[in-house]
């Protein structure tokens, strides 16, 4: 068996097209332009790349992009003051504080200072609680992207057995809640799970989000299962030359693809969906703020 490749790059382009269509209608019918504010503290190179990409894709979708770049030694007081300003700005519908923050800043405090209705990352404790109790919330972008791809591939997820490997607040836990919401039978596996290979082998859907390169191998996978690989790990690639590296997921792609029915590659799988879902969440937040119907196909 050779798995069908779930092309996250192509799917993300489709999501961005839907976002752009909704933005155009909001402008034409209601005179409203969704706005996303991104706050970057410090000079972390990876964060700078992410912020540039987010800003570019926000503008390409027809939305307003507001970037706030602060020095690495910015005080907590000044950062919270900026967030308070963005919370009260009617032109800003989504707020994202790029993580990680410098060590002297309390990430939990900063995240929970964002207005939950503008928390397009879905990390605020109120949104975590709403999602966990099955109520309307802002949903973390990466799990939302995984859910969209699973729905597109399977249609209905009802009754399927799903194993989420990893229990992080950013991916593992919200992913499990979303799958429960779509009536899957869900198991969360992690580093302390006994006989994790056998637990995973029972799953119709495997979502690997554990942060360990190529941990999940083909003999963990039930024949025909769908594998969503959230991991992005950089490993040495001596075949490319001295000091060279390459990106791999939490799954050993080659062995898993021989057994699975469908699989996301790394790169080009889940990664592109994260920013696409950030844009989708911003449009959703804008619609909710203005009492308008939520954009079809862009929410959980």
């Amino acid at each position: 068996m050779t798995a069908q490749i779930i092309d996250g790059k192509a799917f993300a382009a489709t999501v961005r097209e839907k976002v752009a269509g909704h933005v155009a209608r909001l402008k034409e019918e209601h005179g409203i332009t969704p706005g996303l504010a991104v706050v970057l503290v410090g000079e972390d190179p990876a964060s700078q790349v992410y912020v540039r990409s987010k800003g570019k894709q926000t503008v390409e979708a027809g939305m307003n992009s507001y970037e706030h770049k602060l020095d690495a030694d910015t005080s907590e007081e000044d950062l919270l003051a900026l967030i308070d300003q963005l919370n009260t700005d009617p032109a800003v519908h989504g707020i994202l504080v790029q993580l990680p923050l410098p060590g002297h800043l309390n990430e939990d405090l900063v995240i929970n200072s964002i207005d939950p209705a503008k928390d397009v990352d879905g990390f605020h404790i109120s949104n975590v609680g709403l999602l966990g109790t099955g109520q309307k919330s802002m949903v973390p972008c990466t799990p939302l992207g995984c859910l969209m791809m699973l729905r597109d591939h399977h249609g209905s997820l009802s009754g399927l057995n799903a194993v989420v490997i990893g229990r992080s607040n950013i991916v593992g836990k919200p992913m499990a809640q979303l799958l429960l919401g779509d009536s899957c039978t869900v198991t969360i596996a992690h580093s302390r799970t006994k006989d994790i290979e056998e637990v995973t082998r029972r799953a119709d859907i495997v979502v690997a989000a554990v942060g360990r390169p190529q941990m999940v191998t083909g003999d963990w996978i039930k024949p025909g299962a769908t594998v969503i690989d959230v991991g992005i790990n950089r490993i040495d690639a001596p075949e490319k030359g001295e000091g060279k590296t390459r990106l791999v997921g939490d799954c050993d792609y080659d062995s898993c693809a021989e057994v699975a029915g469908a699989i996301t590659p790394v790169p080009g799988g889940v990664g592109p969906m994260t920013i696409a879902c950030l844009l989708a969440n911003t449009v959703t937040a804008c619609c909710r703020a203005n009492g308008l119907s939520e954009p079809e196909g862009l929410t959980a």
Side-chain angles (χ1 to χ4, degrees):
M1 177 181 293
T2 302
Q4 175 186 340
I5 296 173
I6 299 176
D7 187 340
K9 189 174 181 181
F11 196 90
T14 301
V15 172
R16 291 196 304 272
E17 285 179 15
K18 289 182 181 178
V19 168
H22 284 293
V23 170
R25 283 189 290 277
L26 284 169
K27 289 179 178 179
E28 181 179 348
E29 298 174 10
H30 303 283
I32 300 167
T33 302
L36 172 63
V38 178
V39 180
L40 174 64
V41 185
E43 304 288 334
D44 180 78
S47 292
Q48 289 180 322
V49 171
Y50 290 142
V51 167
R52 279 197 299 271
S53 183
K54 288 168 183 172
K56 180 173 179 287
Q57 292 189 36
T58 301
V59 172
E60 287 175 349
M63 297 193 283
N64 291 328
S65 175
Y66 308 103
E67 292 185 10
H68 298 268
K69 297 181 180 179
L70 307 179
D71 293 336
D73 60 355
T74 295
S75 70
E76 200 162 75
E77 181 181 7
D78 286 345
L79 177 55
L80 293 176
L82 171 60
I83 292 171
D84 186 56
Q85 174 188 326
L86 297 174
N87 282 339
T88 57
D89 186 343
V92 173
H93 303 97
I95 302 170
L96 180 148
V97 177
Q98 183 65 47
L99 302 178
L101 291 172
H104 68 286
L105 299 172
N106 183 326
E107 287 191 356
D108 289 337
L109 177 65
V110 170
I111 289 168
N112 289 320
S113 70
I114 298 171
D115 179 348
K118 296 187 178 187
D119 167 39
V120 285
D121 256 341
F123 295 162
H124 192 288
I125 190 65
S126 294
N127 282 319
V128 173
L130 290 168
L131 177 60
T133 53
Q135 300 180 68
K136 185 183 294 185
S137 67
M138 297 306 302
V139 177
C141 302
T142 299
L144 178 58
C146 295
L147 182 71
M148 286 182 179
M149 289 191 290
L150 285 167
R151 285 174 172 171
D152 181 71
H153 179 71
H154 283 279
S156 172
L157 304 182
S158 180
L160 296 180
N161 287 317
V163 169
V164 179
I165 306 175
R167 51 180 168 176
S168 72
N169 293 331
I170 293 174
V171 180
K173 291 176 185 175
M175 187 76 249
Q177 295 291 351
L178 289 172
L179 290 166
L180 280 171
D182 268 30
S183 298
C184 288
T185 300
V186 182
T187 301
I188 300 179
H190 47 78
S191 60
R192 301 296 177 88
T193 300
K194 293 181 180 179
D195 201 4
I196 190 171
E197 298 93 335
E198 185 57 36
V199 170
T200 305
R201 207 173 286 124
R202 294 195 293 265
D204 303 304
I205 295 169
V206 177
V207 181
V210 72
R212 289 180 56 185
Q214 300 174 316
M215 171 180 162
V216 179
T217 53
D219 58 350
W220 291 32
I221 303 301
K222 175 183 177 180
T226 302
V227 178
I228 304 293
D229 191 348
V230 181
I232 301 177
N233 310 285
R234 194 168 287 280
I235 64 171
D236 292 336
E239 71 278 5
K240 290 185 171 183
E242 187 176 350
K244 297 293 186 180
T245 61
R246 63 188 177 97
L247 289 177
V248 299
D250 290 348
C251 300
D252 178 65
Y253 181 83
D254 290 341
S255 65
C256 289
E258 290 180 3
V259 184
I263 190 169
T264 58
V266 176
V270 174
M273 287 296 294
T274 299
I275 295 180
C277 288
L278 172 66
L279 304 181
N281 277 350
T282 303
V283 174
T284 298
C286 177
C287 290
R288 289 176 181 173
N290 289 278
L292 302 172
S293 299
E294 293 184 12
E296 189 176 343
L298 296 181
T299 64

